């Protein structure tokens, strides 16, 4: 307030320049994209330039007048992708023992992971597209870290990254942020437990955590190898994820039990695939 008028004018002009930015978006297909698209529409309305990179074959990612779409070829057809995702959705609703569900999930994860890995591989090995991204001088990367392709690009381009997610498989968001995630307090998927457990229920919760180590190895180890080759140094997926500036978590404590959070993990809630009026 004590600054001279010319200084105030200069500062305000700099704020005006900083009001809008150039955002690189590396989305994940399916419902992940549907909720992110709502955010991109609002960012464009506020004057930000949004560039989305996406494969030519996808479930939900389509061009829009609200952002620039940069597409690249992938080695599979639309029919192959549709068939893989239809099988994954069917398996989610089939009943069975815990072991049967884990085996089914493991098999489906291998199929869909192969498609997503091919998508990421052909993105970072597309020299023309990578050259365009290098020359575009983006301010930040917005991505869903459920698959770390966006994190690989952010590291390669030396850009700050904003993560937009509900959760990452195997709780890697907690490992990457060094956030407490104790099995004695936080219920694991498929357990049907609450955040108040007896001793035997805590033992059960810990046992249900064991398969995550195998599932995550199937999903994420190929990305670690791909990133290491691309960045020309040894990296792990948690190494990449821990570089995030902000984690925008699509969580609330209506559908999720209370759990520890880190300062850069922000609960945004209410960002869904579609808006529907609830009945009484």
């Amino acid at each position: 307030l004590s600054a001279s008028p010319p200084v105030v004018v200069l500062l305000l002009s700099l704020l005006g320049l900083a009001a809008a930015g150039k955002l690189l978006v590396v989305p994940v297909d399916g419902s992940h994209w549907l909720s992110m698209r709502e955010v991109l529409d609002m960012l464009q309305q506020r004057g930000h330039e949004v560039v989305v990179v996406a494969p030519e074959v996808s479930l939900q990612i389509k061009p829009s007048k609200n952002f620039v779409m940069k597409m690249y070829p992938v080695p599979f057809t639309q029919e192959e992708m549709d068939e893989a995702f239809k099988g994954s959705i069917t398996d989610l609703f089939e009943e069975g023992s815990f072991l049967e569900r884990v085996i089914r999930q493991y098999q489906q994860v291998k199929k869909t992971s192969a498609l997503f890995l091919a998508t990421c591989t052909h993105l970072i090995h597309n020299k023309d597209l990578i050259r365009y991204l290098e020359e575009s001088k983006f301010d930040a990367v917005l991505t869903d870290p459920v698959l770390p392709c966006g994190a690989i690009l952010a590291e390669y381009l030396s850009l700050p990254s904003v993560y937009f997610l509900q959760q990452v498989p195997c709780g890697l968001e907690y490992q990457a942020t060094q956030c407490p995630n104790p099995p004695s307090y936080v219920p694991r998927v498929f357990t049907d437990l609450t955040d108040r457990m007896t001793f035997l229920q805590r033992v059960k919760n810990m046992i249900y955590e064991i398969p995550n180590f195998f599932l995550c190895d199937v999903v994420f180890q190929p990305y670690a190898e791909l990133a290491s080759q691309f960045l020309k140094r040894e990296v792990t997926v948690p190494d990449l994820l821990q570089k995030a500036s902000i984690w925008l978590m699509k969580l609330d404590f209506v559908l999720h039990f209370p759990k520890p959070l880190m300062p850069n993990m922000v609960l945004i809630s209410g960002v869904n695939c579609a808006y529907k009026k609830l009945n009484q």
Side-chain angles (χ1 to χ4, degrees):
L1 292 176
S2 61
S4 62
V7 174
V8 173
V9 172
L10 176 61
L11 291 175
L12 290 176
S13 64
L14 291 176
L15 287 174
L17 291 173
K22 191 170 185 179
L23 186 67
L24 171 62
V25 180
V26 186
V28 172
D29 206 353
S31 60
H32 299 265
W33 163 251
L34 295 177
S35 53
M36 180 180 282
R37 187 182 61 191
E38 300 282 344
V39 177
L40 301 186
D41 291 342
M42 295 184 67
L43 288 172
Q44 188 274 337
Q45 293 171 13
R46 297 186 181 191
H48 300 284
E49 182 179 352
V50 178
V51 177
V52 177
V53 293
E56 292 178 349
V57 176
S58 66
L59 294 173
Q60 302 288 349
I61 305 175
K62 307 300 179 187
S64 168
K65 60 182 178 60
N66 290 334
F67 51 78
V68 176
M69 176 78 82
K70 293 292 182 180
M71 307 188 80
Y72 57 92
V74 287
F76 51 83
T77 65
Q78 187 70 53
E79 290 73 20
E80 290 173 323
M81 170 167 272
D82 292 342
E83 183 179 351
F85 276 88
K86 189 179 296 183
S88 298
I89 294 171
T90 302
D91 276 350
L92 286 175
F93 293 97
E94 287 188 5
E95 297 183 354
S97 68
F98 171 69
L99 182 59
E100 289 172 337
R101 285 185 289 171
V102 168
I103 292 174
R104 287 203 312 266
Q105 186 181 21
Y106 178 84
Q107 292 170 340
Q108 285 298 332
V109 162
K110 287 183 66 176
K111 294 179 183 178
T112 55
S113 294
L115 291 178
F116 281 123
L117 181 63
T119 298
C120 185
T121 301
H122 281 72
L123 167 56
I124 66 175
H125 287 163
N126 189 314
K127 295 182 178 179
D128 292 337
L129 181 54
I130 293 297
R131 187 180 305 112
Y132 163 81
L133 298 180
E134 292 173 339
E135 296 172 352
S136 295
K137 305 300 180 183
F138 292 98
D139 296 300
V141 174
L142 175 65
T143 187
D144 188 325
V146 69
L147 294 174
C149 201
I152 296 173
L153 273 182
E155 180 69 11
Y156 176 76
L157 298 172
S158 299
L159 292 173
S161 52
V162 177
Y163 290 169
F164 183 83
L165 73 156
Q166 186 178 68
Q167 62 185 21
V168 180
C170 313
L172 284 187
E173 67 268 39
Y174 299 100
Q175 182 180 345
T177 58
Q178 299 184 28
C179 180
N181 189 32
S184 60
Y185 177 66
V186 181
R188 284 351 188 209
V189 177
F190 295 143
T191 61
D192 296 326
L193 297 173
T194 71
D195 57 326
R196 297 187 179 185
M197 294 176 268
T198 65
F199 174 76
L200 291 179
Q201 287 175 330
R202 293 178 184 181
V203 172
K204 174 185 177 181
N205 204 41
M206 294 187 68
I207 292 174
Y208 272 53
E209 178 79 350
I210 294 174
N212 282 337
F213 296 105
F214 303 101
L215 291 173
C216 271
D217 186 62
V218 171
V219 175
F220 290 118
Q221 185 56 34
Y223 286 95
E225 296 172 359
L226 181 63
S228 298
Q229 295 171 3
F230 184 58
L231 300 173
K232 295 181 172 54
R233 69 177 190 277
E234 196 71 25
V235 294
T236 65
V237 171
D239 290 337
L240 295 169
L241 298 183
Q242 70 182 9
K243 301 294 182 66
S245 299
I246 299 176
W247 296 69
L248 299 177
M249 314 285 288
K250 295 183 288 181
L251 302 176
D252 58 35
F253 294 146
V254 175
L255 297 177
H256 299 83
F257 291 108
K259 61 182 70 177
L261 295 173
M262 299 302 278
N264 64 338
M265 301 171 83
V266 182
L267 298 183
I268 56 177
S269 184
V271 181
N272 304 300
C273 297
Y275 295 106
K276 291 187 177 181
K277 185 178 181 180
L278 299 178
N279 59 29
Q280 292 300 319

